Amino acid sequence: IAQSYGALTLSRGKGARALVRRLAAVQEFATMDVLCTDKTGTLTMNELKATELVRYGNTDEKRLLSLAAAGCDEADRDPIDNAIFLAQSERGAPTLARSRFVPFSSETKRTEADVIENGAALHVAKGLPELLLTEGVGYRDDARADLARMSAAGLRVVAVVVEQAGKRECAGLIGLSDPVRKEVPQ
């Protein structure tokens, strides 16, 4: 009852109103001492760009961007997809023929696509590195080390994992950044 009353109070508050989607969130919010948040475009320029590409094996920048773009949704271009499409275009990376596409799911934290590259069928997954860099994925240890370094530098990181003939390996990582607005104090 207390959480329901709290949700009702938050929805009718003066100034900004809050929509509570989960009653337990009211109690969790009440236990916070400090809440740090950033709405893209408020503290940042809202110009997400692929600023660092880390490749593994025989993957070059163009191949990494082609594979990543195959895992992007043309119909529902979110900021990450837009940044990948822009990098693909700027570097002249080819578009791969896609035979199947699975859109992003908040449960799996990835998109998936089946593509043809140089006559070979590949399965591509693009998404959250922590969930894609599982046991048995080639270059996993290198990718995890690079992920830690890139995350510490403030980059948002997307992993691209390719599966061919039952063998999975990380093709690379894409580090994305959104510059901080000039008027935001350090």
Side-chain angles (χ1 to χ4, degrees), residues 59 63 67 117 122-125 137 160-164 167-171:
T59 301
R63 179 174 190 253
L67 293 169
E117 181 188 49
L122 304 175
H123 180 77
V124 179
V137 173
V160 179
V161 173
V162 178
E163 183 175 347
Q164 182 178 17
K167 181 181 176 187
R168 292 183 308 143
E169 67 180 29
C170 182

Side-chain angles (χ1 to χ4, degrees), residues 18-39:
L19 174 62
V20 177
R21 294 174 51 190
R22 223 174 22 96
L23 284 181
V26 174
Q27 184 174 350
E28 292 166 5
F29 187 72
T31 63
M32 287 186 213
D33 292 325
V34 177
L35 173 64
C36 298
T37 184
D38 171 32
K39 180 182 170 292

Side-chain angles (χ1 to χ4, degrees), residues 65-82:
L65 290 169
S66 293
L67 293 169
C72 292
D73 192 354
E74 296 98 353
D76 183 30
R77 287 186 166 193
D78 71 356
I80 291 174
D81 290 354
N82 286 339

Side-chain angles (χ1 to χ4, degrees), residues 102-114:
V102 179
F104 181 83
S105 161
S106 59
E107 291 178 16
T108 63
K109 307 287 189 208
R110 73 182 79 190
T111 60
E112 297 181 41
D114 291 334

Side-chain angles (χ1 to χ4, degrees), residues 139-162:
Y139 305 106
R140 174 183 178 230
D141 294 338
D142 292 338
R144 283 187 165 186
D146 287 328
L147 171 63
R149 177 188 55 77
M150 294 166 77
S151 296
L155 297 177
R156 187 173 190 174
V157 183
V158 174
V160 179
V161 173
V162 178

